[in-house]
Amino acid sequence: MQTVLEVIGWAGSLLVVASLMQARVLRFRWMNLVGAVLATGYNAAIGVWQFAFMNLAITVIDIYWLTRLYRERHDAEVYQVLPVDAANAFLRHLLDVHRDDIAAHAPWFDVAADAGTAAGGSRHTFLVVRGDEAVGVVAVTDAGGGVGRVELDWVKERFRDFTPGEFVYRESDVLRSAGFDRLEIAPREELDEEYLRRVGFTMHGDRWARPVAA
């Protein structure tokens, strides 16, 4: 029995420590929660009530934040979409700071390309923001005839367990205002197909596509 308790205590401590090294918000909260629950049980079992109370408090805090994060993940009042000029200084700074991460997830996207154009037409860029923090960027190239080709749908690692790009596709009129009736994405190995389906894209011929909501 003592051995089992020790294993639970160590597991809880290691999970709490490991959670602090997680960049993703949801992953951090879930690991921290499980670790705190185990540590609460261990400390209560051996009668160390100060640490049992501390870890119980952490458990309650984690449950609060997880509930809030899941409640807000699809809330259009929490995430907003801002159309920005492709030459916008803040946008250029954001893309440059996260150049390596963007290259890993969208190697075809040229961060250093001319600010207003891309291969095949002009580029429209949309910032997804949460409060005063920019959490993602969607860049769409105008292919003519109301068709937009999504060249970049990127989100910061902290928010990668969420789908803030959906607010560009579903919850705003920015695409319609930019003159798009249809969006297309060329199939690529790096694409998250589950995410594309979740935000309304389906395969049409040789590419992913979805209409732009009126």
Side-chain angles (χ1 to χ4, degrees):
M1 183 63 179
Q2 186 63 30
T3 302
V4 173
L5 281 177
E6 291 295 326
V7 170
I8 291 173
W10 276 107
S13 297
L14 290 173
L15 276 171
V16 169
V17 172
S19 73
L20 299 175
M21 296 186 287
Q22 303 302 311
R24 297 192 181 190
V25 178
L26 274 183
R27 188 175 296 175
F28 158 68
R29 287 293 172 190
W30 274 114
M31 290 178 67
N32 197 261
L33 171 63
V34 175
V37 168
L38 292 176
T40 299
Y42 171 73
N43 285 292
I46 65 174
V48 183
W49 298 108
Q50 300 94 325
F51 286 102
F53 174 79
M54 180 187 72
N55 283 287
L56 179 60
I58 293 172
T59 298
V60 173
I61 291 169
D62 282 330
I63 291 172
Y64 164 79
W65 278 107
L66 281 167
T67 301
R68 179 172 171 177
L69 287 167
Y70 279 110
R71 186 177 67 244
E72 293 179 347
R73 69 188 305 178
H74 301 297
D75 191 340
E77 294 185 2
V78 175
Y79 294 91
Q80 288 85 40
V81 179
L82 304 178
V84 294
D85 188 276
N88 179 275
F90 177 73
L91 172 66
R92 304 305 298 178
H93 173 72
L94 182 70
L95 294 176
D96 190 57
V97 168
H98 297 281
R99 178 187 298 269
D100 292 342
D101 190 51
I102 292 170
H105 290 85
W108 57 87
F109 183 78
D110 186 0
V111 170
D114 180 77
T117 62
S122 61
R123 177 183 290 165
H124 296 260
T125 315
F126 309 98
L127 272 180
V128 182
V129 299
R130 188 180 193 274
D132 61 355
E133 180 182 5
V135 302
V137 179
V138 174
V140 183
T141 298
D142 189 345
V147 176
R149 295 200 177 106
V150 180
E151 300 296 336
L152 178 67
D153 184 344
W154 168 83
V155 63
K156 287 181 179 177
E157 187 176 3
R158 284 182 59 222
F159 296 91
R160 206 156 283 160
D161 292 315
F162 305 95
T163 56
E166 73 179 84
F167 296 101
V168 177
Y169 306 126
R170 290 178 174 168
E171 303 295 338
S172 69
D173 61 358
V174 292
L175 292 167
R176 179 68 64 176
S177 298
F180 297 121
D181 300 313
R182 174 185 171 90
L183 296 178
E184 296 181 351
I185 301 178
R188 294 179 173 107
E189 184 179 342
E190 294 83 358
L191 292 177
D192 183 343
E193 296 185 1
E194 181 183 347
Y195 165 73
L196 292 178
R197 293 189 183 94
R198 214 158 50 231
V199 296
F201 284 89
T202 55
M203 282 298 292
H204 288 265
D206 63 346
R207 62 189 57 232
W208 294 91
R210 66 156 294 163
V212 172

